[in-house]
Every structure is written in structure tokens, then in C-alpha cells.
Amino acid sequence: MSFNLKNVDTVESITREDFKKNYLDKKKPLIIKGLTKDWPAREKWSTDYFKEIAGDIEVKLVDNSKADPSKVINASVGSMKFGEYLDLIKREPTDLRIFFFNLFKHRPELVNDVKVPKDLMGGFIESMPAMFFGGSNAITFLHYDIDLPHLFHTHFGGRKHIILFDNKWKKRLYCIPNTTYALEDYDVANPDFEKFPALKGVEGYEVFLEHGDTLFMPTGMWHWMRYIDGSFSLTLRAWDKSIIRKTASIWSLFMHGAVDSGIKVIFRERYANWREKLVFKIAEKELRKNRPN
């Protein structure tokens, strides 16, 4: 069994006007297959290339384990040389991944391999290009980005499976209070509707990215990702021009970042247990509210 999932619109290219009218303004996802056709990165970037230019860098690793409630989310489970990690994901299945890695900080020349799509929209945060690496079977838990940017997520070197949800489904997805991520106790690819009844009827999108494909995810969109092959992605982030949305971003960073982290440090497991019980009450209340009379 699965969620009610539909395909994401796919285009080779798109005009600024069409993009704004039909996707940016409507907060609707889109796959742009030809966005990277003139990027040097499309032909140049590979695990072998990155090993050659940056293999000596020490990188922190995360895995598919449920987050420790007493620690920050995406806490490291270990580290290794970047080159060794790239060999690992190329050689064999692993759930180890590298989260939000700014490789450009170490190798600034890589900016020349990417063309920020300013012809589609403004507001790009060019100082924060984030890269994500994963072995086959590595999973990024269901969440939305805490600072609420628009995301242009381009994949390289293999395939990636992605499931998306509009933010309106937040409570039905068992979002943990004071956070931007869902309870990790259910399988997003195969949810148990008996144990998690609020999930039944939730609508979303399903995406399979291949090398060079770019997925536009609007602000606040929930995303779950699974690496089908050992591969990697680049995410370019852009602020929404709305003052209301910028204010919401600051509030989210404060409440879901600083405040939640502070409470977690003080109360640890007690806080984690309390909010994991509360999340069921919130989800069930939302389900009752949306059931037809």
C-alpha cells in the first residue's frame, strides 16, 4: 500500500513566465531535464573526479538510523576520507550518506561548473550550494527545510527516488511538534495505515531522478529521498520574495532550531517521549477534522 501519489510535471526547458505562473506562484513541483544541458558539471562531475580533486578531505557521515532524541538531527555516526567514501558507494550498497556538504568551500573552482538559473527566478543564496551523497539504500528521512527556501535539486551519477507532499499535509504526516520532520517510525515508501491511520488518503508526488535532472521543490514542500544507486546531488536554494514568507523563515529557524534544541538539551528523553505521544493526538485530530460528515 502507498500514499495517493501522482507524477510531477516534466519539461525539457521552460520560460520564466511559465515557470512563475504555473509552478513558483502555485507552489507546485517541476522536473526540468534540460536545465543542466550547458553546465560543465553534467559531463565533468563523477565520483572519480571528486576523489581526484578532494579525496583527502575528512567528511562526516550519517545513516538510516532513527535520530537519537537527545542529539541534534542528522548527528554524525562517523567519518572517513572523502575518497574512501566515494569508493565505498561506487563499490557496494551502504546506507551511509553525506548531508549538506559544501564542497565548494574546499574547492572554490567548482562554482564554474554550475550555472545558477537566474533566468527563472531571483533570490538565490549563492554562498550556500549544498551537496548530498548517498550509497544505494541510503534514505533521507521525511522533512521540509527549516529555513523555507525554494529548492532546485539536481542529481548526478545515478538514480534517486523521491516522494513529495504539500505542506498542508503536515499534521497528517505525523510531524513531530517543534520540528520540521516527521516521525521516523513509518516507511514512507510502504506506510502502515493501520498503525498510522492519518496517513491514509494523504496525497503527494512521486519522482525518479536520473543524471542531470533538476527537481524544483517550492518553499515548505516535504520530501523523502532514497538513493537507488550510489550517487550525489546538488541543491541550489532561493528565498521567496514575499516578506510574509521571509518572516516565516526567520520564525521557523527560531522555533524549530534554537528553541527546540534548547528544550532538547534540558529535558532530553522526557521531551522526546512527550512529543512522540503528542504527534499521534495531533494527527488523529486532523484526520477527524477532515473526514466527511
Side-chain angles (χ1 to χ4, degrees):
M1 300 179 71
S2 181
F3 294 99
N4 296 334
L5 303 176
K6 55 186 176 182
N7 294 330
V8 171
D9 289 352
T10 301
V11 298
E12 183 64 26
S13 62
I14 191 169
T15 65
R16 185 184 185 98
E17 293 73 25
D18 189 5
F19 176 73
K20 182 178 186 302
K21 177 182 176 182
N22 295 306
Y23 300 97
L24 182 60
D25 290 350
K26 292 182 179 179
K27 295 183 173 59
K28 184 178 176 182
L30 175 70
I31 298 171
I32 312 173
K33 296 189 76 70
L35 186 74
T36 61
K37 65 181 180 182
D38 59 348
W39 289 18
R42 185 163 182 151
E43 302 299 327
K44 187 176 178 183
W45 286 8
S46 67
T47 53
D48 288 340
Y49 175 67
F50 285 145
K51 180 182 177 182
E52 179 184 339
I53 67 167
D56 58 336
I57 298 172
E58 192 79 11
V59 293
K60 294 182 178 180
L61 305 172
V62 296
D63 63 12
N64 292 350
S65 302
K66 182 178 178 179
D68 185 330
S70 65
K71 296 181 180 179
V72 296
I73 199 71
N74 282 310
S76 171
V77 297
S79 65
M80 67 172 63
K81 293 292 185 181
F82 189 36
E84 294 175 4
Y85 173 77
L86 294 173
D87 284 341
L88 173 65
I89 66 171
K90 184 178 179 181
R91 182 179 67 244
E92 62 190 67
T94 176
D95 68 348
L96 293 175
R97 57 188 176 88
I98 303 175
F99 170 78
F100 213 94
F101 179 34
N102 190 347
L103 182 57
F104 296 75
K105 179 180 177 181
H106 301 277
R107 298 294 182 267
E109 66 273 15
L110 291 175
V111 299
N112 299 318
D113 296 341
V114 173
K115 296 186 179 181
V116 178
K118 297 178 182 177
D119 55 331
L120 292 183
M121 65 174 291
F124 281 95
I125 313 167
E126 296 188 53
S127 62
M128 291 180 64
M131 296 200 71
F132 304 84
F133 294 75
S136 60
N137 300 326
I139 292 174
T140 303
F141 55 83
L142 183 61
H143 72 287
Y144 66 95
D145 281 34
I146 191 171
D147 51 345
L148 303 176
H150 297 291
L151 305 174
F152 286 79
H153 187 79
T154 300
H155 197 59
F156 298 90
R159 298 164 296 160
K160 199 174 202 180
H161 180 200
I162 302 175
I163 296 177
L164 306 169
F165 302 98
D166 292 327
N167 202 265
K168 69 179 183 179
W169 298 107
K170 176 178 178 177
K171 294 178 181 179
R172 294 270 297 274
L173 291 171
Y174 295 86
C175 179
I176 296 176
N178 298 337
T179 75
T180 61
Y181 53 91
L183 193 69
E184 294 181 69
D185 295 341
Y186 65 87
D187 181 358
V188 176
N190 187 28
D192 184 339
F193 294 138
E194 291 189 8
K195 190 174 181 180
F196 303 94
L199 298 176
K200 190 172 184 179
V202 170
E203 299 171 351
Y205 302 88
E206 186 168 39
V207 175
F208 290 91
L209 294 183
E210 298 180 339
H211 178 80
D213 291 348
T214 299
L215 171 63
F216 166 70
M217 290 180 280
T219 171
M221 177 151 277
W222 286 78
H223 44 283
W224 170 95
M225 301 182 174
R226 178 176 67 88
Y227 293 82
I228 300 173
D229 307 301
S231 47
F232 55 94
S233 304
L234 167 72
T235 295
L236 300 176
R237 306 156 69 79
W239 295 125
D240 191 272
K241 68 177 183 179
S242 164
I243 296 298
I244 293 175
R245 204 60 181 166
K246 287 187 173 77
T247 302
S249 172
I250 294 170
W251 177 252
S252 179
L253 284 166
F254 174 68
M255 283 301 299
H256 301 141
V259 172
D260 180 65
S261 296
I263 297 173
K264 187 184 292 185
V265 167
I266 296 171
F267 295 103
R268 296 183 179 271
E269 285 80 5
R270 277 194 299 162
Y271 176 56
N273 293 335
W274 168 78
R275 64 184 185 179
E276 288 201 5
K277 291 178 182 178
L278 181 60
V279 73
F280 281 90
K281 295 179 180 179
I282 293 172
E284 289 163 10
K285 181 179 179 181
E286 188 71 8
L287 177 61
R288 289 193 300 270
K289 186 173 74 173
N290 287 280
R291 276 178 177 156
N293 294 324

PDB file of all heavy atoms in Angstrom, residues 141-144 170 173-176 179-186 222 279:
ATOM      1  N   PHE A 141      15.308  11.058   5.606  1.00  0.00           N
ATOM      2  CA  PHE A 141      14.011  10.991   6.278  1.00  0.00           C
ATOM      3  C   PHE A 141      13.087  12.113   5.798  1.00  0.00           C
ATOM      4  O   PHE A 141      13.516  13.139   5.265  1.00  0.00           O
ATOM      5  CB  PHE A 141      14.196  11.064   7.797  1.00  0.00           C
ATOM      6  CG  PHE A 141      14.970  12.271   8.259  1.00  0.00           C
ATOM      7  CD1 PHE A 141      14.340  13.493   8.437  1.00  0.00           C
ATOM      8  CD2 PHE A 141      16.336  12.189   8.495  1.00  0.00           C
ATOM      9  CE1 PHE A 141      15.053  14.611   8.857  1.00  0.00           C
ATOM     10  CE2 PHE A 141      17.063  13.304   8.900  1.00  0.00           C
ATOM     11  CZ  PHE A 141      16.415  14.522   9.080  1.00  0.00           C
ATOM     12  N   LEU A 142      11.786  11.913   6.013  1.00  0.00           N
ATOM     13  CA  LEU A 142      10.775  12.858   5.551  1.00  0.00           C
ATOM     14  C   LEU A 142      10.850  14.159   6.345  1.00  0.00           C
ATOM     15  O   LEU A 142      10.740  14.160   7.578  1.00  0.00           O
ATOM     16  CB  LEU A 142       9.389  12.222   5.698  1.00  0.00           C
ATOM     17  CG  LEU A 142       8.204  13.045   5.201  1.00  0.00           C
ATOM     18  CD1 LEU A 142       8.315  13.349   3.721  1.00  0.00           C
ATOM     19  CD2 LEU A 142       6.896  12.299   5.501  1.00  0.00           C
ATOM     20  N   HIS A 143      10.991  15.283   5.622  1.00  0.00           N
ATOM     21  CA  HIS A 143      11.139  16.583   6.272  1.00  0.00           C
ATOM     22  C   HIS A 143      10.885  17.704   5.274  1.00  0.00           C
ATOM     23  O   HIS A 143      10.754  17.465   4.077  1.00  0.00           O
ATOM     24  CB  HIS A 143      12.555  16.727   6.835  1.00  0.00           C
ATOM     25  CG  HIS A 143      13.603  16.906   5.771  1.00  0.00           C
ATOM     26  ND1 HIS A 143      14.013  15.868   4.951  1.00  0.00           N
ATOM     27  CD2 HIS A 143      14.305  18.000   5.357  1.00  0.00           C
ATOM     28  CE1 HIS A 143      14.919  16.316   4.087  1.00  0.00           C
ATOM     29  NE2 HIS A 143      15.109  17.606   4.315  1.00  0.00           N
ATOM     30  N   TYR A 144      10.826  18.927   5.764  1.00  0.00           N
ATOM     31  CA  TYR A 144      10.929  20.092   4.902  1.00  0.00           C
ATOM     32  C   TYR A 144      12.026  20.982   5.464  1.00  0.00           C
ATOM     33  O   TYR A 144      12.371  20.890   6.648  1.00  0.00           O
ATOM     34  CB  TYR A 144       9.591  20.829   4.762  1.00  0.00           C
ATOM     35  CG  TYR A 144       9.053  21.479   6.022  1.00  0.00           C
ATOM     36  CD1 TYR A 144       9.288  22.834   6.303  1.00  0.00           C
ATOM     37  CD2 TYR A 144       8.273  20.762   6.932  1.00  0.00           C
ATOM     38  CE1 TYR A 144       8.770  23.432   7.438  1.00  0.00           C
ATOM     39  CE2 TYR A 144       7.748  21.361   8.060  1.00  0.00           C
ATOM     40  CZ  TYR A 144       7.999  22.703   8.313  1.00  0.00           C
ATOM     41  OH  TYR A 144       7.491  23.294   9.450  1.00  0.00           O
ATOM     42  N   LYS A 170       1.019  18.526   6.704  1.00  0.00           N
ATOM     43  CA  LYS A 170       1.990  18.469   7.801  1.00  0.00           C
ATOM     44  C   LYS A 170       1.516  17.642   8.998  1.00  0.00           C
ATOM     45  O   LYS A 170       2.215  16.732   9.459  1.00  0.00           O
ATOM     46  CB  LYS A 170       2.313  19.899   8.237  1.00  0.00           C
ATOM     47  CG  LYS A 170       3.235  20.030   9.424  1.00  0.00           C
ATOM     48  CD  LYS A 170       3.497  21.509   9.711  1.00  0.00           C
ATOM     49  CE  LYS A 170       4.375  21.683  10.934  1.00  0.00           C
ATOM     50  NZ  LYS A 170       4.682  23.124  11.178  1.00  0.00           N
ATOM     51  N   LEU A 173       1.008  13.904   8.405  1.00  0.00           N
ATOM     52  CA  LEU A 173       2.265  13.187   8.188  1.00  0.00           C
ATOM     53  C   LEU A 173       2.993  12.882   9.499  1.00  0.00           C
ATOM     54  O   LEU A 173       4.117  12.397   9.492  1.00  0.00           O
ATOM     55  CB  LEU A 173       3.185  14.002   7.265  1.00  0.00           C
ATOM     56  CG  LEU A 173       2.730  14.118   5.810  1.00  0.00           C
ATOM     57  CD1 LEU A 173       3.587  15.127   5.062  1.00  0.00           C
ATOM     58  CD2 LEU A 173       2.768  12.763   5.104  1.00  0.00           C
ATOM     59  N   TYR A 174       2.336  13.153  10.617  1.00  0.00           N
ATOM     60  CA  TYR A 174       2.910  12.928  11.933  1.00  0.00           C
ATOM     61  C   TYR A 174       4.179  13.763  12.133  1.00  0.00           C
ATOM     62  O   TYR A 174       5.222  13.269  12.565  1.00  0.00           O
ATOM     63  CB  TYR A 174       3.198  11.436  12.158  1.00  0.00           C
ATOM     64  CG  TYR A 174       1.949  10.581  12.198  1.00  0.00           C
ATOM     65  CD1 TYR A 174       1.387  10.082  11.014  1.00  0.00           C
ATOM     66  CD2 TYR A 174       1.308  10.281  13.403  1.00  0.00           C
ATOM     67  CE1 TYR A 174       0.224   9.308  11.037  1.00  0.00           C
ATOM     68  CE2 TYR A 174       0.146   9.500  13.426  1.00  0.00           C
ATOM     69  CZ  TYR A 174      -0.394   9.023  12.237  1.00  0.00           C
ATOM     70  OH  TYR A 174      -1.540   8.265  12.254  1.00  0.00           O
ATOM     71  N   CYS A 175       4.043  15.043  11.800  1.00  0.00           N
ATOM     72  CA  CYS A 175       5.161  15.972  12.040  1.00  0.00           C
ATOM     73  C   CYS A 175       5.379  16.101  13.546  1.00  0.00           C
ATOM     74  O   CYS A 175       4.443  16.368  14.307  1.00  0.00           O
ATOM     75  CB  CYS A 175       4.840  17.342  11.439  1.00  0.00           C
ATOM     76  SG  CYS A 175       6.130  18.584  11.709  1.00  0.00           S
ATOM     77  N   ILE A 176       6.597  15.903  13.979  1.00  0.00           N
ATOM     78  CA  ILE A 176       6.916  15.997  15.394  1.00  0.00           C
ATOM     79  C   ILE A 176       6.829  17.458  15.833  1.00  0.00           C
ATOM     80  O   ILE A 176       7.404  18.338  15.178  1.00  0.00           O
ATOM     81  CB  ILE A 176       8.313  15.424  15.671  1.00  0.00           C
ATOM     82  CG1 ILE A 176       8.327  13.923  15.339  1.00  0.00           C
ATOM     83  CG2 ILE A 176       8.724  15.642  17.119  1.00  0.00           C
ATOM     84  CD1 ILE A 176       9.669  13.262  15.480  1.00  0.00           C
ATOM     85  N   THR A 179       9.320  20.766  15.292  1.00  0.00           N
ATOM     86  CA  THR A 179      10.346  20.368  14.326  1.00  0.00           C
ATOM     87  C   THR A 179       9.808  20.509  12.902  1.00  0.00           C
ATOM     88  O   THR A 179       8.643  20.840  12.692  1.00  0.00           O
ATOM     89  CB  THR A 179      10.787  18.903  14.518  1.00  0.00           C
ATOM     90  OG1 THR A 179       9.767  18.031  14.012  1.00  0.00           O
ATOM     91  CG2 THR A 179      11.051  18.584  15.977  1.00  0.00           C
ATOM     92  N   THR A 180      10.680  20.221  11.934  1.00  0.00           N
ATOM     93  CA  THR A 180      10.283  20.218  10.523  1.00  0.00           C
ATOM     94  C   THR A 180      10.448  18.823   9.918  1.00  0.00           C
ATOM     95  O   THR A 180      10.628  18.682   8.722  1.00  0.00           O
ATOM     96  CB  THR A 180      11.128  21.229   9.724  1.00  0.00           C
ATOM     97  OG1 THR A 180      12.508  20.855   9.815  1.00  0.00           O
ATOM     98  CG2 THR A 180      10.949  22.643  10.252  1.00  0.00           C
ATOM     99  N   TYR A 181      10.371  17.793  10.744  1.00  0.00           N
ATOM    100  CA  TYR A 181      10.496  16.431  10.235  1.00  0.00           C
ATOM    101  C   TYR A 181       9.432  15.525  10.856  1.00  0.00           C
ATOM    102  O   TYR A 181       8.870  15.818  11.918  1.00  0.00           O
ATOM    103  CB  TYR A 181      11.892  15.861  10.465  1.00  0.00           C
ATOM    104  CG  TYR A 181      12.401  15.935  11.882  1.00  0.00           C
ATOM    105  CD1 TYR A 181      12.187  14.887  12.779  1.00  0.00           C
ATOM    106  CD2 TYR A 181      13.127  17.042  12.329  1.00  0.00           C
ATOM    107  CE1 TYR A 181      12.656  14.949  14.067  1.00  0.00           C
ATOM    108  CE2 TYR A 181      13.598  17.113  13.626  1.00  0.00           C
ATOM    109  CZ  TYR A 181      13.363  16.068  14.489  1.00  0.00           C
ATOM    110  OH  TYR A 181      13.830  16.131  15.785  1.00  0.00           O
ATOM    111  N   ALA A 182       9.150  14.438  10.151  1.00  0.00           N
ATOM    112  CA  ALA A 182       8.089  13.522  10.560  1.00  0.00           C
ATOM    113  C   ALA A 182       8.618  12.419  11.467  1.00  0.00           C
ATOM    114  O   ALA A 182       9.823  12.142  11.504  1.00  0.00           O
ATOM    115  CB  ALA A 182       7.437  12.904   9.323  1.00  0.00           C
ATOM    116  N   LEU A 183       7.695  11.801  12.178  1.00  0.00           N
ATOM    117  CA  LEU A 183       8.020  10.615  12.960  1.00  0.00           C
ATOM    118  C   LEU A 183       8.694   9.587  12.047  1.00  0.00           C
ATOM    119  O   LEU A 183       8.214   9.306  10.954  1.00  0.00           O
ATOM    120  CB  LEU A 183       6.726  10.039  13.535  1.00  0.00           C
ATOM    121  CG  LEU A 183       6.824   8.979  14.615  1.00  0.00           C
ATOM    122  CD1 LEU A 183       7.363   9.584  15.914  1.00  0.00           C
ATOM    123  CD2 LEU A 183       5.440   8.373  14.861  1.00  0.00           C
ATOM    124  N   GLU A 184       9.796   9.033  12.486  1.00  0.00           N
ATOM    125  CA  GLU A 184      10.566   8.120  11.636  1.00  0.00           C
ATOM    126  C   GLU A 184      10.133   6.657  11.764  1.00  0.00           C
ATOM    127  O   GLU A 184      10.781   5.770  11.225  1.00  0.00           O
ATOM    128  CB  GLU A 184      12.053   8.242  11.965  1.00  0.00           C
ATOM    129  CG  GLU A 184      12.646   9.599  11.611  1.00  0.00           C
ATOM    130  CD  GLU A 184      14.131   9.668  11.935  1.00  0.00           C
ATOM    131  OE1 GLU A 184      14.914   8.987  11.251  1.00  0.00           O
ATOM    132  OE2 GLU A 184      14.498  10.387  12.895  1.00  0.00           O
ATOM    133  N   ASP A 185       9.016   6.415  12.452  1.00  0.00           N
ATOM    134  CA  ASP A 185       8.606   5.042  12.718  1.00  0.00           C
ATOM    135  C   ASP A 185       7.789   4.403  11.604  1.00  0.00           C
ATOM    136  O   ASP A 185       7.386   3.242  11.717  1.00  0.00           O
ATOM    137  CB  ASP A 185       7.794   4.994  14.021  1.00  0.00           C
ATOM    138  CG  ASP A 185       8.633   5.364  15.235  1.00  0.00           C
ATOM    139  OD1 ASP A 185       9.870   5.305  15.129  1.00  0.00           O
ATOM    140  OD2 ASP A 185       8.062   5.712  16.276  1.00  0.00           O
ATOM    141  N   TYR A 186       7.484   5.116  10.550  1.00  0.00           N
ATOM    142  CA  TYR A 186       6.784   4.502   9.431  1.00  0.00           C
ATOM    143  C   TYR A 186       7.609   4.607   8.159  1.00  0.00           C
ATOM    144  O   TYR A 186       8.439   5.506   8.003  1.00  0.00           O
ATOM    145  CB  TYR A 186       5.380   5.101   9.234  1.00  0.00           C
ATOM    146  CG  TYR A 186       5.322   6.565   8.835  1.00  0.00           C
ATOM    147  CD1 TYR A 186       5.390   6.965   7.505  1.00  0.00           C
ATOM    148  CD2 TYR A 186       5.145   7.554   9.795  1.00  0.00           C
ATOM    149  CE1 TYR A 186       5.305   8.298   7.133  1.00  0.00           C
ATOM    150  CE2 TYR A 186       5.047   8.893   9.438  1.00  0.00           C
ATOM    151  CZ  TYR A 186       5.128   9.261   8.105  1.00  0.00           C
ATOM    152  OH  TYR A 186       5.043  10.588   7.743  1.00  0.00           O
ATOM    153  N   TRP A 222       7.448  19.053   1.698  1.00  0.00           N
ATOM    154  CA  TRP A 222       8.025  17.895   2.364  1.00  0.00           C
ATOM    155  C   TRP A 222       8.686  16.987   1.336  1.00  0.00           C
ATOM    156  O   TRP A 222       8.156  16.808   0.228  1.00  0.00           O
ATOM    157  CB  TRP A 222       6.922  17.104   3.076  1.00  0.00           C
ATOM    158  CG  TRP A 222       6.411  17.766   4.316  1.00  0.00           C
ATOM    159  CD1 TRP A 222       5.536  18.814   4.391  1.00  0.00           C
ATOM    160  CD2 TRP A 222       6.749  17.427   5.664  1.00  0.00           C
ATOM    161  NE1 TRP A 222       5.306  19.142   5.701  1.00  0.00           N
ATOM    162  CE2 TRP A 222       6.028  18.306   6.503  1.00  0.00           C
ATOM    163  CE3 TRP A 222       7.574  16.454   6.226  1.00  0.00           C
ATOM    164  CZ2 TRP A 222       6.125  18.237   7.893  1.00  0.00           C
ATOM    165  CZ3 TRP A 222       7.665  16.392   7.621  1.00  0.00           C
ATOM    166  CH2 TRP A 222       6.951  17.284   8.442  1.00  0.00           C
ATOM    167  N   VAL A 279       2.301  13.681  18.927  1.00  0.00           N
ATOM    168  CA  VAL A 279       2.172  13.693  17.466  1.00  0.00           C
ATOM    169  C   VAL A 279       1.004  12.819  16.998  1.00  0.00           C
ATOM    170  O   VAL A 279       0.324  13.154  16.023  1.00  0.00           O
ATOM    171  CB  VAL A 279       3.502  13.260  16.800  1.00  0.00           C
ATOM    172  CG1 VAL A 279       3.745  11.772  16.950  1.00  0.00           C
ATOM    173  CG2 VAL A 279       3.524  13.628  15.331  1.00  0.00           C
TER     174      VAL A 279
END
